[in-house]
Amino acid sequence: MSEVLIQQNNLSEAVSYLKNYINETPKIAIVLGSGLSHFAEQLSDKIIIDNNDILNYPKSTVVGHSGKIIFGRIKDNKKTSPYLCCFQGRVHLYESGNIKLTSFPIDVAFKLGVETLIITNAAGGINKNYHPGDLMLIKDFLNLTFSSPLRGFLTSKTKSNSFFSQKLIDVAKNVASENKINLQEGVYCWTKGPCYETASEIKMMNFLGADAVGMSTTPEVMKANYYGMEVLGISCITNMGTGISKQKLTHSEVTEVANKVKEKFTTLMKEIILSIDSQ
Ligand code: HPA
């Protein structure tokens, strides 16, 4: 059996498994990157699925990526969000080397009926005006892996020539200003990893126009765009890139800083989701 067929079987198995647990169609999918999983814990009417219970579902091996899918919604005093599907953690290209696995959750989300994707990650700051703990809206990306999950797929359903939704960027900026949250906006550079960059690589990325660097997100965004979803990307700047910061970078520093921005990140996400509904 070909690789593509095996994937399709896995996809329909995963989708029917999940459909057994939910009575509604999720409208917004949220991918929660390194150290940012806590967001899903405050959903109401939660349904929690462990990826390990889904046959052949790609598993993350990275600390801070818990590997659960959580359905539910955000509620405040006045508003209730559309039904959400949160992916806690993800599989990176460096884990399996299989580009198709990196965007598998997006395939699942699309088949479940999701129309909007909010995707988050931890990233290293390249722009010297950034600081650890900043949140950055992703306006575009640089793909330094030169890989794509769209190999074998033809034209994308999206009409725009941008991978990210300007409407959602505007929603996020309004919400941030109402809640006095400082937001950066920049270009995300995708590398294969798993090692952090050298100081020379960070200089090169800066020269190419990148504001932040990380090892994820781009393949998921490409796939979501292919499906015609509206996409918003948010990076949590957990550290400054090698050479900008003189200290040696570690994964625990990344998750620690992500943990410190918990409150700001949660408020921003919550308010964005509630505002999408009111559009
Ligand atoms: N480089 C690559 N990926 C990252 C970084 C970094 O500095 N910080 C968090 N994820």
Side-chain angles (χ1 to χ4, degrees), residues 122-124 191 196-197 213-215 238-241 249 254:
T191 62
Y196 293 115
E197 301 67 37
V213 56
M215 304 173 199
T238 49
N239 57 280
M240 293 310 288
L249 180 56
V254 167

Side-chain angles (χ1 to χ4, degrees), residues 118-259:
I118 303 181
I119 188 154
T120 69
N121 59 46
I126 295 178
N127 186 322
K128 296 200 174 101
N129 295 322
Y130 291 3
H131 299 99
D134 279 355
L135 297 176
M136 180 190 92
L137 292 177
I138 306 175
K139 64 176 179 189
D140 203 358
F141 56 73
L142 265 171
N143 178 356
L144 290 195
T145 74
F146 304 102
S147 307
S148 167
L150 300 182
R151 182 172 59 90
F153 292 76
L154 294 172
T155 46
S156 143
K157 294 185 180 57
T158 305
K159 303 269 183 314
S160 157
N161 63 1
S162 168
F163 281 90
F164 296 93
S165 157
Q166 191 55 49
K167 187 182 103 191
L168 293 183
I169 288 178
D170 292 343
V171 168
K173 283 182 179 168
N174 285 339
V175 160
S177 106
E178 277 161 20
N179 289 277
K180 301 191 172 40
I181 294 172
N182 183 37
L183 267 190
Q184 308 287 3
E185 189 177 355
V187 174
Y188 177 85
C189 180
W190 179 36
T191 62
K192 192 167 177 185
C195 17
Y196 293 115
E197 301 67 37
T198 65
S200 303
E201 284 164 348
I202 293 290
K203 269 193 204 154
M204 171 192 72
M205 290 170 191
N206 185 27
F207 181 73
L208 294 177
D211 296 291
V213 56
M215 304 173 199
S216 69
T217 304
T218 300
E220 293 116 297
V221 171
M222 285 173 153
K223 191 52 97 54
N225 191 262
Y226 168 78
Y227 286 133
M229 291 183 195
E230 297 246 24
V231 181
L232 181 71
I234 303 174
S235 292
C236 170
I237 306 297
T238 49
N239 57 280
M240 293 310 288
T242 310
I244 301 177
S245 157
K246 301 291 169 236
Q247 279 151 258
K248 183 167 165 47
L249 180 56
T250 61
H251 184 63
S252 57
E253 179 187 344
V254 167
T255 47
E256 226 170 84
V257 175
N259 203 31

